[in-house]
Amino acid sequence: MDISKDQIATLLDHDLHASAQMLHTYKQALQYCKIIPKQNSTSARTSLSSRSSSPSSFNASAINENEVKFKIASCHSSLNETRLALAEMEGIPSKARTLQMSLLMAKLFRNSRHNRYAIACYRECLRNCPYVMEAIIALAELGVAAKDIISLFSQTSYKSGRTPFEHIDSNRWLQRYVEAQCCVASNDYKGGLELFAELLQRFPSNIHILLETAKVEAIIGKSDEAIVNFEKVRSLDPFLITYMDEYAILLKGKSDYTKLNKLVHDLLSIDPTRPEVFVALSVLWERKDERGALSYAEKGNILLSLKRPEVAVIAFRGAHDLRADLRSYQGLVHSYLAFSKTKEALHAAREAMKAMPQSAKALKLVGDVHASNSSGREKAKKFYESALRLEPGYFGAALALAELHCVEGRNGDAVSLLERYVKDWADDSLHVKLAQVYAATNALQEALSHYQAALRLNPQNEAAKKGLERLEKQMKGVDPDAPEEDEENEVEDADEEPDEIELLRE
């Protein structure tokens, strides 16, 4: 069953209406709280028995005004009314704030770009409870050093009556977790993955660590490993939504539309109002209805695929402002290149290389910019080769270098490079590229072999399907670029002058 855009819009409107109704109810409750003290002062003159028999006075005593304000702020937050939510939360005395309240305040401050206040609130959360993973991740993303985050745990331990040393020693895994998140936040993805792998040895079926691992693997292009981990997470908890948009993007990249369709339907049945669900929908609709995808999730990659790079730049800048990671840099560089803004693309690529000096992906970005201009191809070659020295298994750099060889007429070098890779790595994109190079040099049998190998690895690979169809025409001696007979007729009809059409009618 296909989900229509109108159905999703209806569900979203219903959720917003529910939040607005709740907001109205809690505001009424808060007003009631303010009226009660006046009623109590009046009723103090009446007998104790008559007061105790009143159900309204009993209910009023059970209402906590700060909790009501928190609920009102939560409703405002759900409606994206950050300023109103903050105003409500600031009406709660700091000493009366619970852990949940501090966490909401931290999110609100962060959403409104008041990072210093957000950091203070997240710190307070960890002083209350060191296991608030959301606070650890946020502090890492806001640039707080691992040692400063870990120091907060010792402040918690005093309340428990244990010494700081005992507390930290028994929770060494928590320190490793903080270090892993700080590595990821500073774009040291390799270091982050190593630490997550260490944690998985101790907690092999921990959903949170599996998710974090899969997310990082997706960022650095380890798609197969990320998909395996996302599928493991789904088997452990089929109702989880967190990061499922990342999983959807990976499935789209593998052209696995059967799994993608099932994932989207599952997510819609769980909670159709979550942002991850809308991104997953946009990925699915990008294939079926590009305009529909754009109206629901104006994501940079979708805009780029729709050949709207100018608007894509705005989307990627927004992502970059929220968090400057590898994907935001990649999006900016490719968007700028798509409408020939080479200077801006080079600036973004160099900024990525500066932020991630040990990242092969960042080196490739600089190479991509140089490769876009014929005068920069030699520089591009050096950057691609440096990326492969740093990370020999990085297919993106290998494919880019092979493409560069082909553009400059070095087909033999391209074949040698790709043949070396397909011996060690089973990847459909490598086989497709190799097939394309062989086809360009008229080595049709070798091209056929590699297209077939690509389709065995990934039967849904569109490039392999189209390439094989083109190759079969070549092998039959037919010009693959010649239009089909029906297309020829359509072109002829379109080119006929009005006078000619009238003559034909006669």
Side-chain angles (χ1 to χ4, degrees), residues 419 428 431-456 463-476:
E419 286 283 13
D428 54 314
H431 282 288
V432 169
K433 187 63 189 174
L434 194 47
Q436 289 169 345
V437 178
Y438 274 128
T441 56
N442 218 34
L444 304 186
Q445 200 58 47
E446 288 84 351
L448 177 65
S449 172
H450 284 287
Y451 275 133
Q452 289 171 339
L455 289 169
R456 280 196 298 273
K465 287 179 184 178
K466 290 176 182 176
L468 186 58
E469 185 181 335
R470 180 184 174 86
L471 183 66
E472 285 170 349
K473 289 180 182 178
Q474 283 181 270
M475 295 178 87
K476 291 175 184 176

Side-chain angles (χ1 to χ4, degrees), residues 125-141:
C125 291
L126 291 180
R127 287 191 188 99
N128 286 325
C129 175
Y131 304 107
V132 184
M133 301 304 180
E134 186 178 346
I136 292 172
I137 295 170
L139 286 172
E141 290 175 349

Side-chain angles (χ1 to χ4, degrees), residues 335-390:
S335 298
Y336 281 129
L337 288 178
F339 65 111
S340 303
K341 293 279 187 179
T342 311
K343 185 179 177 182
E344 290 84 349
L346 188 59
H347 176 77
R350 283 174 173 166
E351 192 180 315
M353 193 170 66
K354 185 178 178 181
M356 297 167 275
Q358 296 302 311
S359 170
K361 276 77 177 173
L363 287 171
K364 179 189 173 287
L365 275 182
V366 181
D368 289 343
V369 179
H370 288 303
S372 68
N373 192 311
S374 58
S375 63
R377 286 173 186 160
E378 193 55 39
K379 284 184 179 179
K381 182 172 175 282
K382 290 177 181 177
F383 275 102
Y384 292 150
E385 288 171 343
S386 296
L388 288 173
R389 280 194 298 272
L390 191 62

Side-chain angles (χ1 to χ4, degrees), residues 133 173 177 196 199-214 229 232-233 236-237 240:
M133 301 304 180
W173 66 267
Y177 178 80
F196 281 133
L199 288 166
L200 279 173
Q201 288 180 352
R202 180 167 178 180
F203 309 106
S205 295
N206 185 282
I207 289 172
H208 181 75
I209 298 171
L210 282 168
L211 275 176
E212 293 298 314
T213 302
N229 279 320
K232 188 173 182 181
V233 166
L236 291 167
D237 185 356
L240 194 79

